[in-house]
Amino acid sequence: MKKFRKVLDGLTTSSPGGTIGSPSCGSAAGTPTSAPAPREIDIQETLISENFQLCKTVRHGFPYQPTALAFDPVQKLLAIGSRSGGIRILGRPGVDCYCQHESGAAVLQLQFLINEGALVTACADDTLHLWNLRQRRPAVLHSLKFNRERITFCHLPFQSKWLYVGTERGNTHIVNIESFILSGYVIMWNKAIELATKTHPGPVVHLSDSPKDEGKLLIGFESGTIVQWDLRAKKADFRIYYDEAIHSVSWHHEGKQFMCSHSDGSLTLWNLRNTTKPFQVTFPHGKIQKDGRKESCKPILKVEYKTSRNSEPFIIFSGGLSYDKAGRRPTLTIMHGKAITVLEMDYPIVEFLVLCETPYNNEVQDPYAVVVLLEKDLIVVDLTQSNFPVFENPYPMDVHESPVTCTAYFADCPPDIIPILYSIGAKHKKTGYSQKEWPISGGTWMLGSHTYPEIIITGHADGSIKFWDASAITLQMLYKLKTSKAFEKPKVGDGRAAELVEEDPFAVQMVSWCPQSRIFCVVGISAHIILYRFSKYDANTQIVSLEVRLQCEPEDVISPSENENNPCFTESGSHSPHHQQPVNAGNRTPEGNKDSTPCLKVKERMVRVPPGYQSELVIQLQWIDGEPPQQITSLDINSAYGLLAFGNCNGLAVVDYLQKTILLCMSTLDLYGATDPYQRLTRSPRRNRQSTSGLTELTDNQQSIDMERSKSPTSVHYPTSLHNDSRILPEPVASLRASHCSPVFYLLDNVKGPGRKLSLPTDLKTDLDHVNGHCTSPTSQSCSAGKPRIPMGPEGPRLTRRGPGRPPFRKAQSAACMEISLPVSHTEVGHASRRAMLQQLHGVTMYSHDEHHTTASYCWSERESRENSFSHSRSSSVSSIDRETKEAITTLQFGESFGRKTDALPTPCLWVGTSLGVALLIPMSIPTDQEERMDEPVAIGPSGGVLMLKGSVLRFGFLDCMGALIQSPYEVWRDLNAAEDPDRPRRRKLVHFSPSSSQDACGDGHLAVVCSERQAKVFLMPSQSCLFVHNITESSFVLRADIVSVYNSACLACFCANGHVMTLSLPSLRPLMDVNYLPLTDMRIARTFCFTNGGQALYLSSPTEIQRITYSQEMCDNLQEMLGELFTPIETPEAQNRGFLKGFFGGNAQTFDREELFGEASAGKASRSLAQHIPGQGGVEGMKVAATGVVGDLARARIALDERGQRLGELEDRTALMMTSAETFSKHAHELMLKCKDKKWYQF
């Protein structure tokens, strides 16, 4: 425990990197602030470095790009391999384990050591791995790297320790599973085929031992050759040469027949009595044409031939459809007797397995289910019912049902929210599933003691929202919401909507949720916001629509004094058509109809909405000058205030969702008032000076504000902006450098020189969206103010940033689909290389500040020369933005604070963070009485304080003077659709966390934490004195920052682009943890990474999977308890009794000794150059990601000790099981002896 004492003398502290743009952190103007008398603050910080450790917890979703499948019929575990080298092992719900090969090579094949708690994987780098599943986190015990041959197929007989490995050269090697060493016994391809054969048989595609005799190995070659090899005699029993290539082979359980699938869509059945020709040839989907020939069919990739005691055998295969039917979906065919059932799949089939009751291949199989692994789904079909229904999948395999575009993570939610969401979501579940229990039921899982309600929200490209129960490291779907239902469907040929028909106009960009009030807000890619309220009852409702014209023209801004008599309308001499319309969104002139329209059309009729989240308000940004609106980059909603704020690269808007009115609509420049911290270069005025058309000026006249509020929501007049002084605004540059407008993140240009540089965002698209220098995507367009306003006519054509005929919205690709490689250096890079990388990545068009350009399609070298031609000196106290674009609003936060230094009491405020590192405070006056709140206006005065940081502002947080986190006020949820009690009318119940009510140590003040891309600062309010400052990174930039609660204390958690995850103490900003965890390899991680309380975080590790991690030492310690057990001691089922005569005369299958045949004594040693043995981790799970220092070593030692104790306990259980089995055997043997001792030999 450390104690920090800070004496405040009214002046900001001086520390390296503590000032940006001014010598004083507390005053943008650089003058000392007036503060109350010096006082002392005692803050006892309880967090220490030993509280933090980073490790992965669990991975949810469908394995990305699956390649292989395996099943343990005794343990009832399912394993799925992927192209990236990952393995997912699934059991009963809650048993879900993820493993990763260090090489990252694709998994070709999986083989369980049935009921042994081990798994063999064959990878594309020709390496075999043996995984130990007897621990909660599996580890590699042995690896065997083949050097000269490529692995194509593996087979491990039941209860055998010898693994058959087929190679691309056609050879078959044998590996001892226990030692993972090659046997000297090799079946060479030239020995397997006849000497007279002149061609190579091809790679080995199948290996299996005969059910009748384990000493006979069936080898299938790709060319169509099949050989049964006698392992004892070391010769071939028979050879089959077939014209068609073989894909798979399946035995009849008696060992007298086997079936092959071929590349021509045929199935051949072979009888061992006569191998000269197939016993039967069938084309299941090939019809006879008119000319008598069979239809050509696709290959049958796999066939399973399974017998049943009570019915005809099952023949199940994938593929084999005729080629003439184009567009047919992938199919799985089930032939049961004369009945043929074709199951169409939504995605291509990767692999399938038939689940049988017995693990022995020489017994009647009795199949009961088929596991079908698709490219993007996992399906289990019930074979015990004639209509073959599918089982309801208990795993969250449909996270990617529509590509994920954003995520949100909420820990420690109200306990009643999860049951309510589940009860409503359960009403909309699909039906028709099999009534039987999920057949993959292996492992054990117990609900741990360290659990609390957690919810994950995912937004998707089709506009849907999914709520997931993430409690106790599981994931279960709760509720699904479709935002597209608030809009009319775009019709083909309907003007601009026709361009959106094939796109994803409803893609979710960000969400904001208040669990206490259950208010939910969604931001879409079409620059729209939907506000939802939760209700347990259905209702008839009409959605209110508001249209906002958020436009900014900094080169056309004139001083307020020149237009003070008519602030809401433009001058009559304006030459631009859209400037002559009033700003009233409800009464548009004909001239503005073409532009002043939103992208989507809201449903105007009354609609019946089911229980759950019901849309109440839709806010849309309008098109301006033929350009789509800029995407919304920030959002915050506060249920206690009844306000919603959002911003983009043009400015800020505040909406009163209770009164359905727009309170504020201003450019970022106008928000500064007289406190603009930047030197904005002026230029010569043009002949026709224009006023701000889409923006209005608020006056101090309360009467005019009241008149605005009295209007109906459908004809709301944009309120005017409030300036406390009548300063003359300098007219900014005419042509500013164009920037992308990021939804959330801004990639800051890393430049060694002084001054502030352009912030570039991560983009939502997978490609660059730039062709020949034209910016073609609205997600990456420059702000409307950033383009040169060149009027049509003699003065030249208007500059357009979209290519001709380019639709305004492209396919909204998800964060899951982003695969843009972003080279991240761990050291500081130079100006040219970093800028060149960003230019190539984003294709940003650069504009000079002193000239107009009528085209943007000039080469990179020309742009670089223009960039390098400027060498303006920059003052240490004032940053120049002569080559900057406008400021985008990057983050917003409502809360009780002090808008001005002179405020004595906290009031509702809106904290605004911009891309230029400025934090603005906007005080508000909100009526407290419920009746007055619905009638009286909310007064907003954008004239509060200004704070400065390096880089784009990412996050705000508030602490009281004891260091405790101050929560935002909220309204307690009430169901507006419930029947109202006349005796007890419903009233709004607000919960406030005022800074002054939490302590008296520092009067009425509180601490404000502001984090940007480069640094974090802690300010004392209301004096705005900078108490602490910490430069988070110099060579990279922060992508995500959150103020979270851990161990009942607050800390700042950051994720940087160079892969570092850091935590800082609050308020001292002392580094607690810094782990190099995950380099930013694509934009998907940056888009979806988020922290939450309790030391947890998540991100989308692949387009289909959510990876959860923890940075809490306590959770890392308890992780072993929370994870499920994969292996459970189960007695292997006994083999079927073959009968005395059958066992006595039925051959020597049971006496086959592989050890004697393949061991070193008889077979010798294999060539050392053929394969290399690599020892594994010895079963002790290594902590790949752990905090450095003694704490990490102690944690690893503790986990190793736990695992050792765990294995000793398992050994004790198995020893007891063996003793019990031995006693049972002894008892049965004694009974048999007593029964038979008096019998004569002829009585047997």
Side-chain angles (χ1 to χ4, degrees):
M1 185 177 296
K2 215 166 187 180
K3 183 178 292 186
F4 290 90
R5 293 181 176 272
K6 194 75 176 177
V7 178
L8 308 177
D9 56 359
L11 297 176
T12 58
T13 58
S14 176
S15 59
T19 60
I20 300 179
S22 68
S24 171
C25 294
S27 174
T31 58
T33 60
S34 59
R39 56 181 174 268
E40 196 175 79
I41 301 177
D42 273 353
I43 298 178
Q44 293 183 343
E45 293 188 356
T46 59
L47 293 179
I48 56 177
S49 298
E50 285 72 15
N51 295 135
F52 294 92
Q53 182 182 351
L54 192 68
C55 67
K56 295 180 180 179
T57 54
V58 68
R59 180 172 293 205
H60 303 296
F62 181 78
Y64 183 54
Q65 295 179 331
T67 55
L69 188 66
F71 182 70
D72 187 328
V74 179
Q75 290 288 323
K76 296 192 181 303
L77 292 174
L78 187 75
I80 302 174
S82 70
R83 190 175 300 175
S84 61
I87 308 171
R88 286 283 290 282
I89 304 173
L90 303 171
R92 66 177 67 249
V95 178
D96 187 343
C97 179
Y98 173 76
C99 316
Q100 175 68 43
H101 290 94
E102 292 184 0
S103 63
V107 178
L108 299 180
Q109 197 173 352
L110 298 167
Q111 286 278 322
F112 273 104
L113 276 67
I114 296 176
N115 203 28
E116 295 293 332
L119 176 70
V120 175
T121 61
C123 296
D125 60 351
D126 306 308
T127 305
L128 298 173
H129 303 274
L130 178 64
W131 291 82
N132 178 20
L133 306 184
R134 292 173 177 256
Q135 54 194 49
R136 294 177 188 254
R137 289 210 158 181
V140 174
L141 291 172
H142 301 283
S143 297
L144 188 65
K145 168 72 174 175
F146 281 74
N147 297 322
R148 295 185 297 183
E149 298 192 51
R150 306 295 305 272
I151 299 173
T152 57
F153 195 86
C154 299
H155 171 64
L156 180 65
F158 179 47
Q159 292 182 326
S160 169
K161 67 175 184 179
W162 298 94
L163 174 72
Y164 302 114
V165 181
T167 67
E168 193 175 34
R169 293 186 180 180
N171 303 325
T172 301
H173 301 275
I174 301 173
V175 179
N176 187 314
I177 290 297
E178 294 179 349
S179 61
F180 239 58
I181 297 176
L182 270 179
S183 168
Y185 194 112
V186 183
I187 306 173
M188 305 299 292
W189 68 271
N190 53 357
K191 299 290 183 64
I193 65 173
E194 290 181 336
L195 296 177
T197 306
K198 298 180 180 179
T199 58
H200 191 279
V204 176
V205 296
H206 177 79
L207 292 169
S208 62
D209 52 333
S210 169
K212 186 178 180 181
D213 187 354
E214 294 178 349
K216 305 293 179 69
L217 182 67
L218 194 69
I219 307 173
F221 297 93
E222 188 180 54
S223 62
T225 301
I226 301 175
V227 177
Q228 180 167 291
W229 184 262
D230 190 331
L231 294 170
R232 304 182 194 87
K234 299 183 180 180
K235 66 176 185 178
D237 286 346
F238 62 83
R239 299 179 178 92
I240 297 174
Y241 299 96
Y242 196 67
D243 296 336
E244 294 296 333
I246 292 176
H247 285 281
S248 69
V249 180
S250 181
W251 280 98
H252 188 279
H253 81 276
E254 293 180 350
K256 299 177 182 179
Q257 294 178 337
F258 62 86
M259 184 175 289
C260 301
S261 67
H262 300 277
S263 58
D264 62 346
S266 65
L267 295 174
T268 57
L269 185 63
W270 299 84
N271 196 314
L272 298 189
R273 294 179 180 177
N274 181 13
T275 58
T276 57
K277 63 177 182 179
F279 176 73
Q280 182 181 358
V281 180
T282 57
F283 288 82
H285 295 298
K287 298 179 181 178
I288 300 177
Q289 299 176 343
K290 294 181 180 179
D291 55 1
R293 293 184 302 173
K294 288 276 187 181
E295 283 182 317
S296 59
C297 297
K298 299 177 183 178
I300 295 179
L301 301 178
K302 184 176 180 180
V303 64
E304 291 273 13
Y305 187 20
K306 301 298 182 183
T307 55
S308 179
R309 282 188 175 88
N310 303 320
S311 64
E312 296 289 330
F314 284 87
I315 300 174
I316 303 171
F317 61 89
S318 61
L321 292 179
S322 59
Y323 277 107
D324 61 344
K325 296 180 180 178
R328 286 287 296 270
R329 294 193 292 180
T331 60
L332 182 78
T333 304
I334 302 175
M335 300 174 63
H336 189 210
K338 296 182 179 180
I340 299 179
T341 304
V342 179
L343 305 178
E344 288 192 342
M345 304 295 170
D346 293 332
Y347 307 102
I349 297 175
V350 176
E351 175 71 287
F352 75 89
L353 288 175
V354 179
L355 308 188
C356 302
E357 295 289 350
T358 175
Y360 297 94
N361 64 346
N362 59 356
E363 297 180 359
V364 179
Q365 300 297 290
D366 279 332
Y368 59 90
V370 181
V371 179
V372 187
L373 178 64
L374 308 178
E375 277 191 0
K376 295 183 179 180
D377 203 358
L378 180 70
I379 293 175
V380 181
V381 181
D382 187 358
L383 293 179
T384 61
Q385 301 183 41
S386 58
N387 59 340
F388 302 125
V390 298
F391 289 89
E392 184 177 5
N393 197 329
Y395 314 125
M397 293 291 186
D398 57 346
V399 172
H400 62 288
E401 183 180 16
S402 174
V404 179
T405 52
C406 73
T407 59
Y409 193 5
F410 299 88
D412 207 8
C413 299
D416 60 336
I417 189 69
I418 291 179
I420 290 179
L421 287 174
Y422 181 79
S423 63
I424 292 180
K427 299 176 182 178
H428 305 285
K429 281 193 173 183
K430 297 179 181 178
T431 58
Y433 292 111
S434 172
Q435 299 300 316
K436 294 195 173 182
E437 292 185 1
W438 180 250
I440 305 167
S441 57
T444 56
W445 180 75
M446 299 289 291
L447 189 65
S449 57
H450 299 80
T451 59
Y452 43 83
E454 300 174 72
I455 287 181
I456 294 174
I457 300 176
T458 56
H460 300 264
D462 63 352
S464 61
I465 302 285
K466 291 182 179 179
F467 290 78
W468 305 85
D469 178 10
S471 307
I473 69 171
T474 61
L475 196 69
Q476 183 182 8
M477 173 86 147
L478 291 175
Y479 174 72
K480 183 177 179 180
L481 172 67
K482 295 181 179 179
T483 62
S484 58
K485 290 186 176 181
F487 302 98
E488 302 284 356
K489 292 183 179 180
K491 297 180 181 179
V492 178
D494 188 15
R496 185 174 293 126
E499 301 174 345
L500 303 176
V501 171
E502 300 300 328
E503 314 300 338
D504 286 328
F506 310 112
V508 178
Q509 198 171 335
M510 68 180 76
V511 296
S512 179
W513 186 46
C514 177
Q516 290 79 13
S517 64
R518 303 180 191 175
I519 296 287
F520 187 58
C521 212
V522 179
V523 174
I525 199 172
S526 300
H528 65 272
I529 301 173
I530 310 176
L531 177 72
Y532 290 90
R533 285 186 183 270
F534 186 84
S535 176
K536 295 188 292 184
Y537 306 95
D538 54 0
N540 292 319
T541 182
Q542 185 169 9
I543 304 172
V544 178
S545 176
L546 290 178
E547 296 177 6
V548 178
R549 187 182 179 90
L550 195 56
Q551 182 190 17
C552 158
E553 300 286 347
E555 72 269 26
D556 296 331
V557 173
I558 62 174
S559 64
S561 60
E562 297 181 27
N563 200 27
E564 60 185 359
N565 294 329
N566 189 11
C568 298
F569 297 90
T570 64
E571 295 179 308
S572 59
S574 297
H575 58 264
S576 181
H578 78 275
H579 280 238
Q580 299 182 14
Q581 69 170 13
V583 296
N584 191 334
N587 300 317
R588 292 191 290 269
T589 59
E591 292 85 352
N593 284 338
K594 179 175 65 175
D595 291 322
S596 299
T597 55
C599 301
L600 303 172
K601 185 178 180 182
V602 181
K603 290 182 179 178
E604 298 177 350
R605 63 185 184 276
M606 293 285 292
V607 291
R608 185 76 173 175
V609 290
Y613 274 103
Q614 302 168 353
S615 54
E616 178 179 297
L617 174 66
V618 174
I619 305 167
Q620 296 188 87
L621 298 185
Q622 298 177 349
W623 283 59
I624 298 172
D625 292 341
E627 293 290 341
Q630 298 299 320
Q631 288 189 358
I632 295 167
T633 58
S634 56
L635 170 76
D636 192 37
I637 187 170
N638 189 279
S639 57
Y641 301 158
L643 300 180
L644 181 151
F646 64 93
N648 62 5
C649 63
N650 284 338
L652 171 70
V654 180
V655 174
D656 184 342
Y657 68 80
L658 296 178
Q659 298 185 24
K660 309 296 188 297
T661 57
I662 301 170
L663 302 178
L664 184 70
C665 182
M666 299 180 68
S667 69
T668 315
L669 178 62
D670 290 336
L671 292 175
Y672 285 108
T675 58
D676 190 353
Y678 292 113
Q679 171 190 348
R680 313 207 183 235
L681 300 185
T682 59
R683 64 172 178 85
S684 300
R686 293 188 304 201
R687 293 179 180 178
N688 294 328
R689 304 186 67 182
Q690 303 169 359
S691 66
T692 56
S693 62
L695 303 173
T696 59
E697 305 264 333
L698 281 176
T699 64
D700 288 329
N701 188 352
Q702 185 64 33
Q703 182 178 359
S704 64
I705 298 178
D706 293 342
M707 293 177 63
E708 295 294 329
R709 302 304 183 277
S710 64
K711 296 185 178 180
S712 67
T714 58
S715 62
V716 59
H717 195 283
Y718 290 115
T720 54
S721 64
L722 177 61
H723 293 299
N724 287 342
D725 65 338
S726 58
R727 69 184 182 99
I728 306 298
L729 287 177
E731 196 164 299
V733 294
S735 301
L736 300 179
R737 197 165 75 180
S739 81
H740 291 249
C741 300
S742 162
V744 178
F745 304 107
Y746 290 80
L747 304 181
L748 187 63
D749 198 354
N750 188 8
V751 182
K752 289 184 178 179
R756 188 181 304 279
K757 295 298 176 183
L758 171 66
S759 294
L760 297 177
T762 59
D763 201 278
L764 189 61
K765 304 302 179 184
T766 55
D767 53 357
L768 299 182
D769 285 342
H770 297 278
V771 182
N772 296 328
H774 286 83
C775 178
T776 59
S777 170
T779 63
S780 57
Q781 288 174 1
S782 64
C783 307
S784 57
K787 65 179 182 180
R789 299 276 311 160
I790 303 178
M792 298 297 289
E795 298 183 30
R798 173 177 297 175
L799 171 68
T800 59
R801 290 179 301 284
R802 277 194 298 117
R806 181 72 173 176
F809 287 94
R810 295 176 55 258
K811 184 81 171 177
Q813 304 218 12
S814 68
C817 299
M818 299 174 195
E819 300 293 342
I820 304 176
S821 296
L822 181 65
V824 177
S825 173
H826 293 275
T827 60
E828 188 168 354
V829 297
H831 178 2
S833 62
R834 175 74 171 178
R835 182 172 298 279
M837 183 271 290
L838 291 174
Q839 285 178 346
Q840 292 175 6
L841 179 64
H842 293 279
V844 181
T845 304
M846 307 298 182
Y847 293 97
S848 299
H849 80 293
D850 59 347
E851 55 183 328
H852 294 295
H853 299 285
T854 58
T855 179
S857 57
Y858 45 87
C859 64
W860 292 116
S861 59
E862 184 179 351
R863 291 180 227 181
E864 281 294 331
S865 65
R866 287 196 176 93
E867 287 297 317
N868 298 331
S869 64
F870 295 97
S871 58
H872 296 293
S873 62
R874 287 170 171 82
S875 167
S876 61
S877 61
V878 178
S879 297
S880 173
I881 57 166
D882 54 339
R883 292 187 292 124
E884 299 288 340
T885 63
K886 296 175 313 305
E887 294 176 86
I889 307 297
T890 55
T891 184
L892 296 165
Q893 179 72 52
F894 285 104
E896 299 283 323
S897 186
F898 301 86
R900 302 172 185 86
K901 299 178 185 180
T902 57
D903 289 352
L905 295 174
T907 58
C909 289
L910 174 62
W911 287 69
V912 181
T914 75
S915 57
L916 294 185
V918 179
L920 298 165
L921 279 80
I922 301 180
M924 301 175 293
S925 176
I926 302 176
T928 56
D929 185 75
Q930 179 173 352
E931 286 75 13
E932 293 180 356
R933 178 63 186 88
M934 301 303 298
D935 299 329
E936 297 294 325
V938 175
I940 299 180
S943 58
V946 176
L947 311 174
M948 301 290 299
L949 290 89
K950 290 181 182 177
S952 300
V953 180
L954 300 179
R955 190 67 59 196
F956 295 113
F958 309 112
L959 309 174
D960 60 27
C961 287
M962 300 302 292
L965 193 63
I966 301 176
Q967 302 292 337
S968 297
Y970 62 86
E971 175 189 1
V972 178
W973 174 73
R974 54 197 177 104
D975 197 336
L976 298 181
N977 294 333
E980 187 171 357
D981 187 357
D983 299 331
R984 299 180 61 185
R986 288 194 300 265
R987 299 183 60 86
R988 297 182 70 212
K989 183 179 179 182
L990 308 182
V991 178
H992 287 272
F993 300 92
S994 177
S996 60
S997 62
S998 57
Q999 80 290 326
D1000 298 323
C1002 57
D1004 295 332
H1006 72 91
L1007 304 178
V1009 182
V1010 187
C1011 182
S1012 73
E1013 288 177 327
R1014 296 298 181 91
Q1015 68 176 187
K1017 289 186 177 182
V1018 176
F1019 297 91
L1020 176 66
M1021 306 302 290
S1023 67
Q1024 300 178 13
S1025 303
C1026 181
L1027 301 185
F1028 301 98
V1029 60
H1030 177 73
N1031 292 324
I1032 299 174
T1033 177
E1034 294 293 341
S1035 60
S1036 184
F1037 49 93
V1038 179
L1039 288 168
R1040 178 77 185 205
D1042 287 293
I1043 289 95
V1044 295
S1045 176
V1046 184
Y1047 298 103
N1048 297 320
S1049 298
C1051 72
L1052 175 63
C1054 303
F1055 172 58
C1056 296
N1058 59 9
H1060 284 250
V1061 176
M1062 294 175 284
T1063 56
L1064 306 173
S1065 68
L1066 291 177
S1068 67
L1069 299 178
R1070 176 173 44 91
L1072 296 172
M1073 181 187 73
D1074 187 353
V1075 177
N1076 187 5
Y1077 169 67
L1078 181 73
L1080 180 65
T1081 54
D1082 52 61
M1083 295 301 105
R1084 177 186 62 248
I1085 299 172
R1087 230 356 229 152
T1088 58
F1089 200 103
C1090 53
F1091 296 95
T1092 189
N1093 296 329
Q1096 297 198 72
L1098 67 80
Y1099 60 94
L1100 218 63
S1101 58
S1102 74
T1104 61
E1105 295 169 288
I1106 294 174
Q1107 178 67 58
R1108 291 166 67 178
I1109 63 174
T1110 181
Y1111 49 95
S1112 164
Q1113 178 69 55
E1114 181 183 4
M1115 189 165 185
C1116 288
D1117 296 341
N1118 297 320
L1119 187 59
Q1120 295 293 319
E1121 174 192 342
M1122 300 170 69
L1123 294 175
E1125 287 273 6
L1126 291 175
F1127 179 78
T1128 54
I1130 300 175
E1131 187 173 357
T1132 303
E1134 294 184 2
Q1136 184 179 357
N1137 188 7
R1138 304 178 66 198
F1140 179 77
L1141 292 177
K1142 191 172 184 180
F1144 193 77
F1145 299 105
N1148 52 1
Q1150 299 298 321
T1151 60
F1152 176 62
D1153 188 357
R1154 294 186 178 91
E1155 181 67 32
E1156 180 182 350
L1157 195 59
F1158 303 145
E1160 186 176 331
S1162 57
K1165 292 184 179 180
S1167 172
R1168 292 187 177 182
S1169 61
L1170 182 60
Q1172 175 188 0
H1173 176 260
I1174 305 171
Q1177 300 174 5
V1180 178
E1181 179 190 2
M1183 299 296 293
K1184 289 184 180 180
V1185 181
T1188 57
V1190 180
V1191 178
D1193 296 336
L1194 289 175
R1196 285 189 288 271
R1198 184 164 52 249
I1199 291 176
L1201 188 62
D1202 292 343
E1203 290 177 351
R1204 181 174 179 269
Q1206 174 186 340
R1207 288 194 299 276
L1208 289 174
E1210 293 172 356
L1211 181 61
E1212 184 179 351
D1213 294 340
R1214 289 189 62 81
T1215 303
L1217 191 64
M1218 291 176 63
M1219 291 178 62
T1220 304
S1221 177
E1223 290 175 359
T1224 305
F1225 178 78
S1226 175
K1227 179 181 178 182
H1228 289 169
H1230 183 69
E1231 291 175 353
L1232 183 63
M1233 183 268 294
L1234 294 177
K1235 182 178 179 181
C1236 301
K1237 69 177 182 177
D1238 296 330
K1239 290 186 178 182
K1240 303 297 181 180
W1241 64 271
Y1242 52 83
Q1243 292 178 316
F1244 286 97

